[in-house]
Amino acid sequence: MLRRSSLLSQNPSLRRHFFTCLFSSLSPPQSHHLSPSNQRLEILGSGYHFPTTNVTGSSSVSVGTSKFPSGSRSGLVNSSCFRLFGSQAAVEPSTSFGLTVEGIISSQWTILDESENDWKSHASAIAQSIHVIKRRLQWKSLIVRLEVLSIQLDKPDLWDDPVRAGKISREHGSLMSRMKEVKAFEQELLEHIDMIKLAREEDDADLQSESVKALLEMRRSAKEKELEAMLSGEHDSCSCFIEVQAGAGGTESMDWASMVMKMYKMWAQRHGYGVTVVDEMPGEIAGIKRATIKVDGEYVYGYAKAEVGVHRLVRCSPFDSAKRRHTSFAAVAVIPILGDTSTRVQINESDLKIERFRAGGAGGQHVNTTESAVRITHIPTGVTASCQNERSQHQNKASAMTVLQARLDQLEMARQAQMNAQHTQSLTEISWGNQIRTYVLHPYRMVKDLRTNYEVSDPDSVLEGEIDNFILSFLSSALDKDEDYS
């Protein structure tokens, strides 16, 4: 950027040409001009704008974050007044010579390796990533939802209900931020292409080299943005509880449930997430009957929701003296922790049955000799939650209440999803027919996801927490099914 500024300041002809290209690329098509009496400032990203009339009546043009008045009086338009409507969002930004992202895709420029110093290759790869991001964000639905929220925000009685108004405002801001980020990324690509054209016309090898390097950096960051687009669900950014329960099969299945829980603990630790054991019921001989852990971190639920379902193990049992092959099952549930501001269900103390009992298993003399463990039952629904891993009864009660709240919230989410016929994979009923993944340790070695057919031949690494490829494969396949994004 410094190099570009220096070149423009030293060469008036280059400077005039650059700003001519820039302003021509920022101007919207004439067919979308608003009438002079009803023009408002609409920003969709860095430099992507629509005509405006400010509050004092004088018109102005916005470029990036700068504002250039064309009348004698110009006032700043508060960012809370910005509104995004479907017809405006449909307008595509373009270069000074009319090239758009869709135009780059339709040109089918060959995508070469990153090491190749080819700007068309970089631009094509970036354009393809933008295409993927828009599809994953369900671009068309996002525009429609923003229009609905914008209309609601304009209602004069909106803040008569502050809770509802706050929810609408937060959702609008979140969606607007996503759209502006994509549009800014799109505009940046086109500006670099403009700069390459400009550098070629002025025979400036240094400027062209810098622009190609900038495209390469964008190409690398585009992959990260593709990943971020996978986690655009309402609760994807939340922390979560991961629950594992042994299926039928006695000790064999209990041991498998313990292995699955260990796999998730190691996965969480690999990513630096916080892991807390909330509840654990050990098996009589080995393993666990069920266990719940709390995993704290950014976008934990967004990733972990891919693990919901039944996990199947095939191996020669270490508990069978005849070394026969056994099949075991463990069910996994993932529950988002919505937090106080997003909690859907209000819990009344009168609806709770609280039981206290002695903790079992390892825990020390104090834990095992006092009634510090707590089990809470929500009487209207029959949902229960327990915790016995803390030394204090108050701490166990607080942890159990957190789990209970999350489970009731999930029930409410499932109820609303059924009413709207919008079932999501993360809320699929856990039953023994919903096998999502098979782990085979004998007679061959393989782990295969039955939803995506992704498989690896090293089950040991998977059981040690290397499950990212399974998660990303599932998220990609689930999101990329919807091709209608425009």
Side-chain angles (χ1 to χ4, degrees), residues 52-355:
T52 178
T53 295
N54 57 37
V55 292
T56 60
S58 60
S59 61
S60 60
V61 173
S62 176
V63 179
T65 56
S66 302
K67 196 168 177 64
F68 301 94
S70 59
S72 57
R73 298 175 62 193
S74 69
L76 293 176
V77 179
N78 191 288
S79 60
S80 64
C81 297
F82 294 170
R83 296 293 182 266
L84 183 62
F85 298 97
S87 60
Q88 296 169 338
V91 180
E92 289 188 80
S94 64
T95 64
S96 60
F97 49 95
L99 182 64
T100 64
V101 169
E102 289 300 318
I104 295 173
I105 294 174
S106 62
S107 297
Q108 296 183 338
W109 292 341
T110 303
I111 299 178
L112 305 174
D113 189 80
E114 290 183 1
S115 59
E116 298 290 337
N117 194 27
D118 186 307
W119 73 267
K120 283 190 174 182
S121 170
H122 297 332
S124 183
I126 297 167
Q128 291 289 351
S129 291
I130 293 173
H131 181 83
V132 170
I133 290 168
K134 285 185 174 182
R135 184 168 67 246
R136 289 176 176 175
L137 290 177
Q138 297 181 318
W139 196 251
K140 184 176 181 179
S141 299
L142 189 152
I143 292 173
V144 172
R145 181 58 180 165
L146 267 173
E147 183 172 352
V148 171
L149 293 173
S150 297
I151 293 173
Q152 292 177 342
L153 285 173
D154 282 332
K155 292 183 178 179
D157 61 345
L158 173 68
W159 288 96
D160 291 348
D161 185 349
V163 175
R164 177 174 175 272
K167 183 178 180 180
I168 292 174
S169 181
R170 285 191 298 272
E171 184 181 357
H172 180 273
S174 176
L175 296 183
M176 177 71 92
S177 176
R178 291 177 194 168
M179 178 166 282
K180 289 178 69 176
E181 184 178 357
V182 175
K183 284 294 183 181
F185 195 67
E186 194 172 12
Q187 184 66 35
E188 185 181 355
L189 166 62
L190 299 173
E191 287 175 358
H192 284 310
I193 294 175
D194 259 335
M195 291 303 298
I196 290 174
K197 179 176 181 292
L198 185 63
R200 287 188 166 188
E201 290 176 353
E202 299 293 336
D203 195 23
D204 189 331
D206 289 340
L207 181 57
Q208 180 174 340
S209 177
E210 287 184 7
S211 296
V212 173
K213 288 180 180 178
L215 286 177
L216 176 58
E217 292 176 3
M218 285 189 67
R219 180 176 176 177
R220 290 169 176 168
S221 66
K223 293 303 177 183
E224 297 179 6
K225 294 182 181 297
E226 285 186 38
L227 176 59
E228 291 173 3
M230 290 184 183
L231 305 176
S232 57
E234 183 180 1
H235 307 302
D236 283 355
S237 62
C238 297
S239 298
C240 71
F241 293 109
I242 298 179
E243 301 180 350
V244 178
Q245 181 171 339
T251 301
E252 181 67 31
S253 288
M254 293 180 196
D255 185 58
W256 170 229
S258 177
M259 293 168 64
V260 172
M261 179 56 79
K262 181 181 177 182
M263 177 179 72
Y264 290 127
K265 289 179 181 178
M266 296 181 72
W267 168 76
Q269 291 166 358
R270 284 174 180 270
H271 289 274
Y273 300 141
V275 179
T276 305
V277 177
V278 176
D279 185 35
E280 184 175 285
M281 179 180 289
E284 288 83 359
I285 299 175
I288 57 173
K289 293 181 179 179
R290 69 169 185 268
T292 302
I293 60 172
K294 180 183 179 183
V295 186
D296 289 301
E298 190 174 12
Y299 291 102
V300 172
Y301 177 70
Y303 291 114
K305 67 183 181 183
E307 296 297 295
V308 173
V310 175
H311 297 244
R312 173 174 174 259
L313 173 69
V314 179
R315 67 171 177 176
C316 289
S317 172
F319 305 99
D320 187 340
S321 58
K323 299 299 179 182
R324 290 171 294 188
R325 190 171 64 177
H326 286 248
T327 299
S328 308
F329 298 91
V332 175
V334 179
I335 305 171
I337 302 174
L338 304 184
D340 295 337
T341 58
S342 302
T343 296
R344 296 171 180 263
V345 178
Q346 297 297 322
I347 300 177
N348 298 320
E349 285 287 337
S350 59
D351 292 335
L352 300 179
K353 176 184 177 182
I354 302 176
E355 302 172 272

Side-chain angles (χ1 to χ4, degrees), residues 336 338-339 342-346 404-414:
L338 304 184
S342 302
T343 296
R344 296 171 180 263
V345 178
Q346 297 297 322
L404 180 67
Q405 181 72 70
R407 287 176 175 167
L408 291 175
D409 289 340
Q410 188 186 40
L411 279 179
E412 177 64 14
M413 290 163 60

